[in-house]
Amino acid sequence: MLLQNLRYALRQLGRSGSVTAAAILCLALGIGATTAIFSVVDAVLLKGLPYSDSARLVRIFTEFPTFPNGGLRHFWVSAPELLDLRRDLKSWQQIEGWVIGSATISGNGEPVRATQGYVTGGMFPMLGVQPLLGRFVTPQDDAPGTATVAVLSYGLWQRAYGGDPGILGRDVRADGAPCRVVGVMPASFEFPPGEVNPVEFWVPAQLDPGRPGGRGSHSWSLLGRLKPGASVGAAADELKQYVAQATQNATPNSHNFHIKNHTLVLNGFQDEVVKNVRLAMLVLLGAVVFVLLISSVNVANLLLARAESRRREIAVRKAIGASLSSLLGQFITEGVVLSSVGAMAGIALAYGILRMIVRANPGSLPRASEIGIDGRVLLFTTAISVLTGIVFGLAPIMHLVGQNLHETLKAAGGRTIGGSGSHRFRRALVVVELALALVLLIGSGLMVKAFWRLQAVNAGLNPTNVLTARISLPDAGYPKQEDRRSLWLRLYASVKGLPGVQSAALVSGLPPARPINANDTMIEGFVRREGGPIQNIDYWNTVSPGYFETMGIRMVEGRLLDERDGQGAPGAVIVNQTMARIFWPNQSALGKRVRADSKDEWRTVVGVVEDTRNAGLDRPPGTELYFPLGQSFVGTSDYLVFRADRASSLLPAIRRQVAELEPAAPLSNVRPMAEVLDAARARPRFLSVMLSSFSTVALILAAVGIYGVLAFSVAQRTSEIGIRMAMGAGASDVLKLILREGAMVGLAGTALGAVGALLLVRLMQGLLFGVSSFDAATFAAMASLLIVVTLLACYLPARRASAVDPLIALRDE
């Protein structure tokens, strides 16, 4: 019976080739888009992290709720705090830590710059992963004073060592310090996951419990595994009790945990990895579900129209004894065959959409390397296609089986006359798809408007013709401050003097999205007020002369840093507008004094500069201090920035200058400043592009849907139109009649969609920069667009109706 139904379904679908092709196209669009986005959501949100028993892996953070701008949330812990938590917490099987840095890897040809992870010895065993070659870092490697070993990522193994299997046991240097390669991780391994610059080189942290450093030096990320049977809730309660006990035992001026201003929180590892993209992923998934529903409505309308032409066939089959179950089986088979072909075309389309997503997503999605169409995604697609096939099969037959058998057979010549109930039902389906399309249009309109506003944000600098590059010195070669400062100043002078370079500078932290420093800073004459600021500055920046000129940062008051601010000169510092406003409101910041700590000299504020978006383009600027390179602590890694008309053409000369001064300091992360700013907009741009694409598809499908309904209506009402015209109605009257019918459907869909949008788009508020989810202009513009497209879709059927020859129509009747 099934085989017979299948053969008959293929014959029927083949006879109505145009309807079948249109239905397959609609299904391919809907199922393809849904499959692609589900594969992204599945990889990013739904799948467990690729570690052993990942559900029991939990992040631990400290928080400082009383800090400005809402406090420091999900912040790092210090090394002494890590050791205390390991010792005291009972719900945890293990607690491990890591710190991310970078290193110049040398010892095999040209040195390369790589992101480096310092991990405690139990981290890799806790993750339960196996290396591709060799072994991983173990607790034995983590003992202070032990010879340093290193584990390479698959990517670094390929690009730096050509995939040489003899890499194991080779001695290399990381920032000049010797270490021995003991393992290579698989290509799919990533830890920590979700980093914009993934870690490529892991070494043991070798934290010394006897000399762990200061309690206020927060730089460690913590990951723990709960004991079997321990719940996340119980672990959270233990942290609360631990902080409460520490609060009771706290002494004045101590850096202990405190229930009000230095607490502990936890979050599931996977939840932490995807927290910044969860809402965006759910919005995209909702959008493609809407596209799938609109596609399904179009296909249902096509099949309903086709079923109208098969009324006589159904009546004849019922008359000769066909049961309802056999008719249902036949139509469901046809629906499943149709949806299956659409699903196969949709899967091919999904591959193309995924390639587009990967190209449009440079670092804006965590776990992007895990995205693909696998067995889970194919199972989802199969379920969708079978479900839609059953619905498509049921809708036409359930609509026709209750009709009068005698009246249907009596219809002359087999000519069919669609009932008014069928037409109302099909119009109702179009109202629904128009409403769904409007919700999508409004959502994408809001997202595009928010992205446009983000594009227009003043970053506080001029990126035109500015090129940036990271330069890192080998730690072992520059243990002294004086040696580092001397090299940086010589490098600055040599690059500044190159022909074609208009200006150049060195800077320790590059806007617009740098990690927060949150450094305690002494401010002369500061008096703490309830609810007021504390002596803590969001960003410290060390800059060479020429930095503000090179970056186009405007001076507001005073002077800029220059060659006068070197060693032996009075301590100078520059503050941004936000710091001046917060700490010296209603007065000039010039002449005020600050110092980094009690050992530092007092430094005089000599200038105030315009805010740069240091915390991200979508966030207000934080407080910032600029220290002169010649007078402050300098590290082994800085950014070189220079302005030139053809900046990229000067790179070879700059590389030579750097190599002459320090061959083990390669340039890395070479990017125009405009590209650096653009990267900060990657995630909202990605979401805007995706939503706009899906809403455009939805609008086209909705227009096709209303066109199909009106075209079918005109075909059914040919005799009625002929009678109207024979009785004196003009072509314009008929045109108005059909356009009015389409407009009523469009207005009903617009009204329903506006209500749906009001209920749903508020869920997007967290994604909208500077735009309300109830933005009236966007609602009005998208509703107007939908109505215009609806009227355009109605015009062709209306013109066809107005061109009916009444004599021919009445002769056929």
Side-chain angles (χ1 to χ4, degrees):
M1 185 67 176
L2 178 61
L3 188 60
Q4 179 182 347
N5 284 344
L6 185 60
R7 285 198 298 265
Y8 187 77
L10 292 173
R11 285 200 302 270
Q12 287 296 325
L13 294 174
R15 286 175 185 171
S16 51
S18 59
V19 172
T20 301
I24 289 174
L25 178 60
C26 288
L27 284 170
L29 286 172
I31 293 178
T34 307
T35 298
I37 297 302
F38 176 78
S39 67
V40 175
V41 172
D42 184 52
V44 175
L45 297 185
L46 303 181
K47 279 184 182 176
L49 293 173
Y51 311 122
S52 175
D53 198 8
S54 62
R56 290 199 292 127
L57 294 175
V58 179
R59 290 289 309 274
I60 304 175
F61 304 91
T62 186
E63 292 191 338
F64 297 87
T66 57
F67 271 50
N69 299 321
L72 295 178
R73 305 293 177 176
H74 283 206
F75 202 62
W76 303 297
V77 303
S78 65
E81 290 170 345
L82 162 60
L83 296 174
D84 289 350
L85 294 174
R86 272 182 166 178
R87 180 194 64 212
D88 298 333
L89 297 183
K90 308 303 180 186
S91 300
W92 308 80
Q93 183 174 308
Q94 270 181 270
I95 296 177
E96 304 295 336
W98 77 89
V99 176
I100 294 180
S102 60
T104 298
I105 312 301
S106 58
N108 185 58
E110 288 292 323
V112 297
R113 193 69 186 170
T115 304
Q116 179 172 269
Y118 298 87
V119 295
T120 54
M123 182 65 75
F124 281 99
M126 182 176 73
L127 296 175
V129 293
Q130 295 300 319
L132 177 68
L133 297 177
R135 64 179 181 86
F136 42 57
V137 174
T138 66
Q140 290 73 29
D141 300 316
D142 200 29
T146 305
T148 304
V149 299
V151 175
L152 308 181
S153 72
Y154 183 87
L156 181 61
W157 178 48
Q158 292 293 322
R159 73 182 175 96
Y161 303 101
D164 180 8
I167 187 65
L168 297 182
R170 184 178 301 177
D171 290 327
V172 299
R173 289 185 172 271
D175 279 341
C179 54
R180 176 162 296 179
V181 177
V182 296
V184 176
M185 300 307 292
S188 59
F189 178 77
E190 189 177 336
F191 182 83
E195 295 292 325
V196 175
N197 297 309
V199 174
E200 298 180 292
F201 192 81
W202 294 271
V203 296
Q206 296 188 353
L207 175 60
D208 186 354
R211 302 175 62 187
R215 298 191 67 86
S217 300
H218 292 260
S219 59
W220 284 84
S221 300
L222 299 193
L223 178 66
R225 180 179 292 280
L226 296 176
K227 288 181 178 178
S231 68
V232 173
D237 289 341
E238 184 184 14
L239 285 184
K240 290 180 182 177
Q241 295 171 10
Y242 186 77
V243 172
Q245 185 65 41
T247 303
Q248 293 178 0
N249 298 333
T251 58
N253 300 319
S254 65
H255 192 86
N256 292 332
F257 295 118
H258 193 280
I259 200 167
K260 288 185 177 180
N261 53 40
H262 185 186
T263 187
L264 288 167
V265 296
L266 56 76
N267 197 19
F269 194 17
Q270 181 163 355
D271 291 339
E272 186 64 25
V273 170
V274 302
K275 67 177 182 180
N276 291 329
V277 298
R278 183 185 300 277
L279 178 57
M281 290 294 96
L282 294 179
V283 167
L284 276 184
L285 185 60
V288 295
V289 168
F290 275 26
V291 172
L292 178 62
L293 289 173
I294 293 170
S295 302
S296 301
V297 167
N298 264 357
V299 175
N301 261 326
L302 285 169
L303 295 185
L304 281 170
R306 182 169 167 269
E308 289 289 342
S309 67
R310 297 175 65 185
R311 284 158 50 92
R312 184 173 178 80
E313 172 204 335
I314 295 170
V316 170
R317 293 181 66 180
K318 288 174 63 179
I320 62 177
S323 65
L324 176 61
S325 61
S326 65
L327 290 173
L328 285 174
Q330 177 59 56
F331 276 77
I332 288 174
T333 301
E334 290 182 25
V336 170
V337 168
L338 187 64
S339 62
S340 298
V341 176
M344 287 187 284
I347 290 172
L349 179 63
Y351 277 105
I353 294 174
L354 283 179
R355 284 198 294 270
M356 179 182 72
I357 288 174
V358 170
R359 285 197 297 269
N361 172 50
S364 62
L365 282 181
R367 309 183 67 185
S369 61
E370 300 176 45
I371 296 174
I373 297 179
D374 57 14
R376 286 161 56 100
V377 175
L378 291 177
L379 182 63
F380 168 81
T381 305
T382 301
I384 288 291
S385 63
V386 171
L387 179 61
T388 52
I390 292 173
V391 172
F392 297 153
L394 286 175
I397 188 63
M398 294 305 292
H399 187 69
L400 294 175
V401 292
Q403 295 184 359
N404 187 283
L405 174 65
H406 178 70
E407 293 297 328
T408 302
L409 289 174
K410 196 168 67 174
R415 178 172 47 81
T416 63
I417 303 173
S420 61
S422 171
H423 192 55
R424 283 195 299 270
F425 181 64
R426 295 183 65 225
R427 279 189 298 182
L429 288 179
V430 173
V431 168
V432 171
E433 70 174 317
L434 287 172
L436 293 173
L438 182 59
V439 173
L440 263 183
L441 283 170
I442 290 173
S444 66
L446 290 171
M447 197 66 222
V448 168
K449 188 170 184 178
F451 179 65
W452 187 260
R453 291 198 172 177
L454 188 62
Q455 286 276 89
V457 165
N458 179 14
L461 51 86
N462 178 12
T464 305
N465 295 332
V466 175
L467 200 66
T468 73
R470 187 80 177 267
I471 305 178
S472 300
L473 307 178
D475 288 340
Y478 295 87
K480 296 180 179 180
Q481 282 280 307
E482 293 76 10
D483 295 337
R484 299 177 203 167
R485 183 180 294 108
S486 173
L487 181 66
W488 288 131
L489 290 173
R490 283 185 286 131
L491 176 61
Y492 156 69
S494 64
V495 172
K496 185 184 68 168
L498 285 173
V501 173
Q502 297 169 7
S503 62
L506 292 164
V507 58
S508 59
L510 193 67
R514 30 178 314 216
I516 192 170
N517 300 126
N519 287 326
D520 289 338
T521 306
M522 301 179 71
I523 300 174
E524 189 176 38
F526 177 82
V527 177
R528 177 74 186 273
R529 300 186 307 274
E530 185 68 28
I534 60 175
Q535 295 188 82
N536 188 277
I537 304 303
D538 295 325
Y539 299 96
W540 280 4
N541 224 343
T542 301
V543 299
S544 73
Y547 172 70
F548 301 102
E549 298 93 327
T550 301
M551 296 292 281
I553 299 173
R554 187 174 63 88
M555 184 181 69
V556 176
E557 187 180 14
R559 68 171 179 88
L560 299 178
L561 299 174
D562 54 33
E563 281 75 6
R564 288 174 291 177
D565 304 305
Q567 285 183 299
V573 72
I574 281 181
V575 303
N576 69 345
Q577 289 173 295
T578 295
M579 181 171 174
R581 183 179 63 253
I582 288 176
F583 289 98
W584 303 289
N586 303 317
Q587 56 183 305
S588 173
L590 297 183
K592 302 299 190 290
R593 299 204 304 172
V594 302
R595 61 178 177 176
D597 54 44
S598 58
K599 297 179 181 179
D600 188 30
E601 64 176 323
W602 284 103
R603 301 169 182 270
T604 302
V605 176
V606 298
V608 179
V609 295
E610 187 175 26
D611 288 333
T612 60
R613 294 279 177 156
N614 42 31
L617 293 176
D618 58 343
R619 298 186 61 188
T623 53
E624 187 161 17
L625 271 173
Y626 296 93
F627 296 95
L629 176 62
Q631 296 181 347
S632 58
F633 174 87
V634 291
T636 56
S637 183
D638 263 359
Y639 288 93
L640 170 68
V641 295
F642 65 95
R643 183 182 293 274
D645 287 336
R646 293 184 299 158
S648 57
S649 66
L650 298 177
L651 268 178
I654 290 176
R655 289 186 190 277
R656 286 194 296 271
Q657 292 288 333
V658 174
E660 288 176 8
L661 291 170
E662 177 48 75
L667 290 183
S668 61
N669 292 356
V670 179
R671 293 186 296 172
M673 192 61 210
E675 186 179 312
V676 175
L677 293 178
D678 198 46
R681 306 181 183 102
R683 190 167 293 162
R685 179 176 59 248
F686 167 72
L687 189 57
S688 298
V689 169
M690 292 292 103
L691 280 179
S692 298
S693 301
F694 295 141
S695 62
T696 301
V697 171
L699 183 62
I700 293 172
L701 289 173
V704 169
I706 194 168
Y707 168 82
V709 165
L710 289 184
F712 186 73
S713 172
V714 167
Q716 283 188 313
R717 299 168 65 185
T718 300
S719 59
E720 174 202 334
I721 293 170
I723 293 171
R724 286 176 180 270
M725 298 184 74
M727 295 178 65
S732 62
D733 297 320
V734 174
L735 187 69
K736 291 175 183 176
L737 174 69
I738 303 303
L739 285 176
R740 187 182 305 117
E741 180 181 343
M744 294 301 293
V745 173
L747 288 172
T750 302
L752 182 61
V755 173
L758 285 170
L759 296 174
L760 293 177
V761 296
R762 61 181 178 178
L763 301 176
M764 296 175 57
Q765 189 60 64
L767 301 172
L768 303 177
F769 173 74
V771 177
S772 168
S773 58
F774 303 120
D775 185 71
T778 302
F779 272 69
M782 294 300 106
S784 300
L785 174 63
L786 183 68
I787 291 173
V788 169
V789 171
T790 299
L791 292 175
L792 290 175
C794 297
Y795 182 71
L796 284 178
R799 279 293 302 271
R800 189 178 303 144
S802 66
V804 167
D805 188 332
L807 293 178
I808 295 176
L810 293 175
R811 185 172 64 225
D812 287 344
E813 184 63 25

